[in-house]
């Protein structure tokens, strides 16, 4: 089964989100299985506050998902897991989605010099 191409805007969001070493590390750690925030922060050696920033960006891009669970002692624990995704880039796949992108001259039918 062929995976549908993301829209140009989705592709930009995915690539921009993954273009950060901390976020790549989060995805790598979560590829080993879901973790709750505190454990993930300890495993990565970063603060929970910094981790939350990166998790929010990954979640907004659809690359991770979160689930709130209550522990047996009544403590709320937020678990994150990686969402299965694949990005296969070729010049042709990029050319296919660029015309649909918002916020670019290419999407409005202009070339790089601004002419129609």
């Amino acid at each position: 089964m062929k995976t549908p191409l993301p829209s140009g805007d989705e592709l930009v969001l995915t690539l921009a989100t993954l273009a950060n070493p901390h976020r790549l590390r989060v995805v790598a750690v979560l590829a080993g299985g879901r973790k709750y925030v505190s454990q993930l922060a300890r495993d990565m050696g970063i603060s929970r506050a910094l981790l939350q920033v990166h998790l929010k960006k990954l979640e907004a891009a659809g690359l991770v998902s979160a689930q709130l669970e209550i522990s047996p002692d009544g403590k709320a624990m937020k678990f994150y897991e990686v969402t299965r995704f694949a990005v296969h880039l070729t010049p042709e796949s990029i050319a296919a989605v660029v015309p649909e992108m918002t916020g670019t001259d290419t999407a409005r039918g202009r070339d790089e010099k601004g002419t129609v």
Side-chain angles (χ1 to χ4, degrees):
M1 176 189 276
K2 199 171 192 180
T3 305
L5 287 175
S7 71
D9 293 339
E10 290 167 339
L11 180 60
V12 168
L13 177 61
T14 298
L15 294 176
T17 301
L18 291 173
N20 178 286
H22 289 298
R23 292 192 284 271
L24 284 177
R25 287 181 57 219
V26 169
V27 170
V29 171
L30 291 177
R34 72 186 204 127
K35 294 197 180 268
Y36 65 97
V37 174
S38 295
Q39 182 63 50
L40 185 55
R42 281 192 298 274
D43 288 354
M44 294 185 62
I46 63 174
S47 72
R48 286 182 58 195
L50 178 59
L51 177 59
Q52 290 287 3
V53 169
H54 293 298
L55 286 169
K56 284 181 184 178
K57 290 184 184 236
L58 286 162
E59 193 171 17
L63 301 173
V64 301
S65 61
Q67 184 174 359
L68 191 62
E69 296 181 13
I70 305 300
S71 69
D73 63 355
K75 188 164 71 167
M77 299 172 69
K78 196 166 193 177
F79 283 86
Y80 282 88
E81 62 187 337
V82 73
T83 303
R84 302 302 303 167
F85 66 90
V87 179
H88 179 77
L89 295 177
T90 64
E92 295 79 16
S93 67
I94 293 170
V97 299
V98 165
E100 304 167 0
M101 291 170 43
T102 58
T104 65
D105 284 342
T106 305
R108 291 186 287 272
R110 296 183 180 92
D111 64 18
E112 293 176 4
K113 296 177 185 170
T115 58
V116 179

